[in-house]
Structures are given as C-alpha cells and as structure tokens.
Amino acid sequence: MGETEGKKDEADYKRLQTFPLVRHSDMPEEMRVETMELCVTACEKFSNNNESAAKMIKETMDKKFGSSWHVVIGEGFGFEITHEMKTQKQHEWVPKAGGSC
C-alpha cells in the first residue's frame, strides 16, 4: 500500500467515524446547510491543517455572504463572541456511537 493510499484510507476512516453536530445556529436554514457543507468539505480537504481549512471557509463565506466572517478551528479552547443576528453557527465534530477518533 502506498503512502498516498494510506492517507486516503485514514481520511475515509475519520470521515466515517465522525459527524458535525450543530450546537447553535441562528442562520436561515439555507445558509446553515450551505455553511455546514462548506465546513465539512474544508475539514476533509485539509484534515491535517486547521489553518488552511479555516482560511478556505472564511474566504468562501466572505465572497458568498459579505465580509467580516471569523472562523476558528481547533481543540481545547474557549471563546465568547458577539455577532450580528442570523449570522452565527457553532458546531463540533462528534464520534459516532461505537466509533473513536
């Protein structure tokens, strides 16, 4: 098995073992769904580089919905934010039952 194939298998395994859980959102449904799809795509594409995933999400959101979006991706941190109504979404990746990450 080649190194590239091994990385692809690992990425496929991680994708099968986790799913995004929306903790809070006051976005309109269409915007929320589109944003979730963008987040999943970016995190899969840059599974080992949170900075690149965040940059991709921010740049796409700025172009599509106007500037001033902030994207934070990482582990083990807290935050407090203020936001414009109907523009905030918070989600996290959660292991599926019986799986581990």
Side-chain angles (χ1 to χ4, degrees), residues 6-56:
K7 287 182 181 181
K8 183 182 180 301
D9 290 342
E10 182 180 334
D12 288 343
Y13 176 77
K14 284 182 179 180
R15 183 172 49 249
L16 290 172
Q17 298 302 317
T18 60
F19 65 95
L21 174 64
V22 176
R23 290 289 184 188
H24 171 77
S25 177
D26 65 357
M27 292 178 168
E29 181 68 14
E30 184 177 323
M31 179 188 259
R32 186 189 64 74
V33 169
E34 191 168 337
T35 302
M36 180 63 71
E37 290 172 356
L38 173 61
C39 291
V40 169
T41 300
C43 289
E44 287 176 352
K45 183 175 182 178
F46 299 105
S47 62
N48 294 323
N49 189 335
N50 291 340
E51 187 176 340
S52 293
K55 183 177 179 181
M56 177 184 167

Side-chain angles (χ1 to χ4, degrees), residues 19 24 34-35 39 41 48 51 59-60 66 68 70 73 75 77-79 81 83-84 94:
F19 65 95
H24 171 77
E34 191 168 337
T35 302
C39 291
T41 300
N48 294 323
E51 187 176 340
E59 288 174 353
T60 304
S68 296
H70 301 277
I73 300 175
E75 298 178 22
F77 60 86
F79 61 91
I81 60 171
H83 67 282
E84 191 175 313
V94 178

